[in-house]
Every structure is written in C-alpha cells, then in structure tokens.
Amino acid sequence: MKAITTQDQFNEVIGSEQSVIVKFYAGWCPDCTRMNMFIDPIIEEYSQYEWYEINRDDFPEIAEKYQVMGIPSLLIFKNGEKLAHLHSANAKSPEQVTEFLNAQA
C-alpha cells in the first residue's frame, strides 16, 4: 500500500482512469492496526486495484469532503469520483472487506 502524503498526490491518485482504493487511517486507531494485520492477502487477491493509504489526521479536510467519519475506511475512486465507501463499522474483518470488494465487481 502506497502512502499519500500531499493534497496534490491525493488528487492525482483519485483522478486515475483505473479504479484505486484509498484507506483512511490514523496512527492511534486500534481497528486500523487490526486491518493492517489482515489486509495484505486481500491486496494481493484484488490486485486489479492500486492501493493507497492516507492519514486522516494529516488531511482532515479530505476526510470531511468524502464523509470519512470513522476509520479505517476504504474508499474506491475512479476519474476523481468516489464509487464506493466501506465504513469503519463494516471493516472489522477480512470477510467484511472481501464482501465489500466482491460487491464492486
């Protein structure tokens, strides 16, 4: 998962013609740490997406713009548009994440 470190990079990433997944997280978030423990095989399985992560605390205005209220959240973007949003309450297990990704196919 590649880190997004600037607003310009975020805009460039989500503007891609290929679907991308952006994980919103924070360093203090235990559920984010838990997701990190199970996400790697999912990233490999869903390699049709480019995977990125952004620290919500560093970019609160981006989180607010895309209604990221809880973390971790996975958002799918293409051509600058948010296509899907897996909210934190439904992102607690690998099964929930893969179910969300399968629903996008």
Side-chain angles (χ1 to χ4, degrees):
M1 208 175 293
K2 300 173 197 143
I4 295 174
T5 55
T6 67
Q7 173 89 44
D8 289 343
Q9 183 190 10
F10 176 81
N11 292 335
E12 189 179 314
V13 163
I14 70 164
S16 172
E17 290 179 11
Q18 179 188 352
S19 293
V20 298
I21 295 178
V22 179
K23 179 183 86 170
F24 284 76
Y25 76 98
W28 51 264
C29 163
D31 287 339
C32 300
T33 304
R34 191 173 306 116
M35 178 181 278
N36 289 343
M37 293 165 67
F38 67 71
I39 200 75
D40 285 346
I42 295 172
I43 292 172
E44 284 177 34
E45 186 178 342
Y46 294 88
S47 59
Q48 71 267 36
Y49 296 104
E50 287 285 322
W51 290 75
Y52 295 88
E53 62 182 5
I54 187 167
N55 188 321
R56 185 203 165 287
D57 290 348
D58 292 343
F59 298 95
E61 66 287 347
I62 294 175
E64 190 174 319
K65 179 177 181 179
Y66 293 101
Q67 294 94 40
V68 177
M69 304 303 170
I71 49 174
S73 285
L74 296 177
L75 281 66
I76 301 178
F77 293 94
K78 184 177 181 178
N79 297 321
E81 268 187 70
K82 181 171 87 168
L83 303 179
H85 186 154
L86 179 64
H87 296 271
S88 58
N90 301 316
K92 305 250 189 253
S93 72
E95 294 77 21
Q96 288 178 314
V97 173
T98 54
E99 196 175 294
F100 165 73
L101 294 170
N102 288 337
Q104 309 314 311

